[in-house]
Amino acid sequence: MRRDEDEERRQFSEYFAARRELVRRTAYLMCGDWHWADDLAQAAFIRLAANWHRIRDPQAVDAFLRTCLVRAYLSETRRVWRRRERPVAEPPDLAGLDDDAETMARRLAFTQALRQVPPRQRVTLICRFYQGLDVAETAAALKCSEGTVKSQTARGLAALRKILGDTVPSLVNVAEGRA
């Protein structure tokens, strides 16, 4: 029994090391605050660790972790104190203007616009465009119907278009870091 536990801990540690930054960045896109993103990622990994021994299909680990992250975020947005809190993020210090200045400015504008989109629409957009999930996979992650995913995606994109104007066509490129 002891060897099985050690092996499970080793497997979880390897998985955690490989996915930690991706989950943290995804959480940041959802909430727009690095400290809150750390908390969300931690909550998702704690839930995964508690259920690690139950996972039979290694292919399902990413989906389970994604679901844990989305549920943690949506749960936090429902808290009254979270709605009253107004985090103010300062833009990162720029050493100087170079070829990447335009790309960084677009990413910053996109991130700020994404924060203005309602939470469920934001999570739907992140699942669809940042994580590359199709409608069915997004519906499974959010525990909702495919129609809801489609309507939330449409509403979220409409909100981004209203905020960003003509820069929305590069939405997927910015979200995936190809801008």
Side-chain angles (χ1 to χ4, degrees):
M1 176 82 78
R2 183 82 170 126
R3 286 185 183 154
D4 289 342
E5 289 176 7
D6 289 343
E7 180 63 18
E8 284 181 2
R9 284 184 180 165
R10 185 193 60 75
Q11 289 174 349
F12 179 79
S13 295
E14 288 175 2
Y15 182 82
F16 174 78
R19 294 286 197 263
R20 184 178 66 87
E21 280 306 310
L22 176 65
V23 171
R24 184 174 179 255
R25 283 192 311 266
T26 302
Y28 176 76
L29 283 175
M30 290 178 191
C31 67
D33 179 319
W34 284 111
H35 299 291
W36 189 11
D38 287 336
D39 292 345
L40 292 172
Q42 180 179 359
F45 276 113
I46 287 172
R47 179 128 188 250
L48 176 63
N51 292 291
W52 187 260
H53 66 281
R54 293 183 185 172
I55 298 174
R56 291 177 177 69
D57 182 10
Q59 302 292 329
V61 177
D62 287 337
F64 183 80
L65 183 61
R66 181 175 32 255
T67 300
C68 292
L69 182 63
V70 166
R71 287 182 179 175
Y73 169 70
L74 291 175
S75 175
E76 282 290 313
T77 60
R78 291 184 200 111
R79 295 180 188 265
V80 174
W81 65 267
R82 184 64 77 181
R83 285 184 288 214
R84 285 191 305 233
E85 184 178 293
R86 299 281 185 242
V88 178
E90 295 180 24
D93 293 333
L94 298 174
L97 298 177
D98 56 2
D99 294 341
D100 293 330
E102 183 179 332
T103 301
M104 291 302 294
R106 284 195 321 224
R107 283 186 184 168
L108 184 59
F110 172 76
T111 303
Q112 289 172 345
L114 191 60
R115 285 187 207 139
Q116 296 175 39
V117 175
R120 284 205 55 97
Q121 293 173 14
R122 184 180 324 145
V123 169
T124 304
L125 292 174
I126 290 168
C127 287
R128 294 278 290 126
F129 297 107
Y130 183 73
Q131 294 182 332
L133 301 179
D134 63 20
V135 173
E137 292 170 327
T138 302
L142 298 177
K143 298 286 187 194
C144 64
S145 70
E146 291 182 17
T148 301
V149 170
K150 291 175 186 177
S151 66
Q152 291 293 312
T153 300
R155 289 179 185 143
L157 288 174
L160 280 176
R161 279 188 189 97
K162 187 176 181 180
I163 296 165
L164 294 173
D166 294 332
T167 59
V168 173
S170 62
L171 167 69
V172 175
N173 291 339
V174 170
E176 293 176 353
R178 296 182 296 182

